[in-house]
């Protein structure tokens, strides 16, 4: 199948991602050691510094946009949802599919032609090196350990203590993504993506968001090297 699309531009969106509360994105530990941390955060295998996987950010932003569309389901939106909704919901689903892509099990050539190639590529967010340098110069650690437990409602006692590793509030990461623009793409695609970033600010990233983890803020937001802070700060995703 040949897609009738011409790449017109590749936009670069960059920002500083600042943690406002502790962040936990797990490393997938398979073992728990006595006296050790039960839930460690993911770290770069060479530098040992914590980082934020691009897949974590992409998945959460897509999920939030799908909730906002009103057509959210257990699996990512796809061919069936796009073909069965109408009006504003159909437009919202189309933008999500154009930005994040359609699953490979969609064999509809007509839909592939209409939606086209995935536009957005998310990069892993490494720890900002100026921030990392400040921590090293002050002999501070990159992570903290938070003790948690379960409360027995009847006895009023704490049970099942565990140690959870977090990247502390104040940590700074370098955020970057690229957006492919094809001939005929609407400006609304970029607007939808920026709404997704704003929704992430309003919600949370990583685990235990309902317990105060993972509140983030995007600062110094730039598109192709030009500041769009004013544009980003005025976004109201639910405005009518």
């Amino acid at each position: 199948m040949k897609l009738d699309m011409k790449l017109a531009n590749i936009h670069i969106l960059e920002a500083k991602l600042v943690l406002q509360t502790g962040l936990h994105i797990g490393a997938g530990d398979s073992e728990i050691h006595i006296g050790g941390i039960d839930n460690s955060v993911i770290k770069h295998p060479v530098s040992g510094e914590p980082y934020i996987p691009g897949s974590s950010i992409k998945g959460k932003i897509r999920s939030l946009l799908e909730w906002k569309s009103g057509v959210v389901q257990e699996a990512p939106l796809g061919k069936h949802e796009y073909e069965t909704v109408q009006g504003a919901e159909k437009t919202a689903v189309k933008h999500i599919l154009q930005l994040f892509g359609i699953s490979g099990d969609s064999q509809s050539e007509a839909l592939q032609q209409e939606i086209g190639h995935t536009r957005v590529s998310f990069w892993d967010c490494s720890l900002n090196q100026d921030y990392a340098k400040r921590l090293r110069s002050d002999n501070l650690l990159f992570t903290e350990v938070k003790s948690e437990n379960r409360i027995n409602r009847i006895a009023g006692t704490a049970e099942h203590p565990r140690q959870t590793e977090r990247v502390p509030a104040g940590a700074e990461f370098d955020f970057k993504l690229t957006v492919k623009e094809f001939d005929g793409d609407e400006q609304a695609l970029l607007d939808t993506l920026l709404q997704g970033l704003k929704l992430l600010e309003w919600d949370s990233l990583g685990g235990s968001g309902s317990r105060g983890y993972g509140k983030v803020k995007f600062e110094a937001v730039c598109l192709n090297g030009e500041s769009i802070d004013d544009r980003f700060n005025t976004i109201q995703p639910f405005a009518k």
Side-chain angles (χ1 to χ4, degrees):
M1 179 182 66
K2 179 182 178 181
L3 289 181
D4 185 20
M5 303 180 69
K6 180 181 178 181
L7 183 63
N9 204 346
I10 297 180
H11 302 284
I12 301 174
L13 184 68
E14 297 174 286
K16 180 182 291 185
L17 190 157
V18 181
L19 302 188
Q20 296 188 308
T21 63
L23 172 71
H24 177 82
I25 296 180
D29 297 333
S30 59
E31 296 181 357
I32 297 176
H33 302 282
I34 296 174
I37 296 172
D38 300 326
N39 302 300
S40 60
V41 300
I42 192 167
K43 300 181 182 72
H44 191 282
V46 176
S47 69
E49 296 176 358
Y51 72 96
I52 303 175
S55 58
S56 297
I57 300 178
K58 176 183 179 182
K60 187 57 184 280
I61 289 177
R62 177 168 186 163
S63 172
L64 289 168
L65 287 172
E66 290 186 356
W67 274 102
K68 182 177 179 294
S69 75
V71 199
V72 70
Q73 57 180 16
E74 184 175 345
L77 300 180
K79 177 176 181 291
H80 174 74
E81 292 71 42
Y82 181 64
E83 293 177 344
T84 54
V85 296
Q86 300 294 328
E89 288 184 346
K90 190 178 189 72
T91 300
V93 172
K94 181 179 180 180
H95 289 166
I96 291 169
L97 297 181
Q98 287 178 315
L99 288 169
F100 298 95
I102 311 173
S103 62
D105 58 1
S106 175
Q107 301 300 319
S108 169
E109 183 172 339
L111 181 62
Q112 292 286 354
Q113 289 285 355
E114 185 172 359
I115 299 300
H117 187 70
T118 303
R119 272 54 166 195
V120 183
S121 297
F122 288 81
W123 308 111
D124 291 346
C125 298
S126 58
L127 202 64
N128 179 270
Q129 288 308 295
D130 288 338
Y131 170 81
K133 184 177 180 180
R134 293 199 302 271
L135 261 61
R136 289 193 180 96
S137 65
D138 293 334
N139 293 317
L140 298 176
L141 299 176
F142 292 127
T143 62
E144 64 183 2
V145 177
K146 184 174 183 293
S147 298
E148 299 184 341
N149 51 57
R150 173 180 175 274
I151 300 298
N152 184 311
R153 269 65 168 174
I154 304 301
T157 57
E159 302 175 340
H160 309 300
R162 58 191 180 274
Q163 304 290 319
T164 298
E165 187 178 30
R166 309 193 309 178
V167 185
E172 300 173 0
F173 293 85
D174 295 327
F175 173 82
K176 180 179 178 180
L177 60 79
T178 57
V179 187
K180 298 180 183 70
E181 178 188 345
F182 293 94
D183 282 348
D185 279 355
E186 304 173 52
Q187 174 63 38
L189 273 179
L190 182 58
D191 293 337
T192 297
L193 180 60
L194 293 175
Q195 284 186 18
L197 268 64
K198 181 61 68 174
L199 290 171
L200 182 60
E201 279 193 343
W202 290 0
D203 196 73
S204 63
L205 178 64
S208 302
S210 64
R211 288 183 282 162
Y213 288 41
K215 183 166 179 56
V216 304
K217 182 173 178 57
F218 293 99
E219 297 182 353
V221 184
C222 292
L223 181 65
N224 301 324
E226 299 289 334
S227 174
I228 58 168
D229 268 338
D230 290 342
R231 175 181 177 183
F232 181 72
N233 291 333
T234 58
I235 290 175
Q236 297 292 325
F238 301 101
K240 299 298 184 181

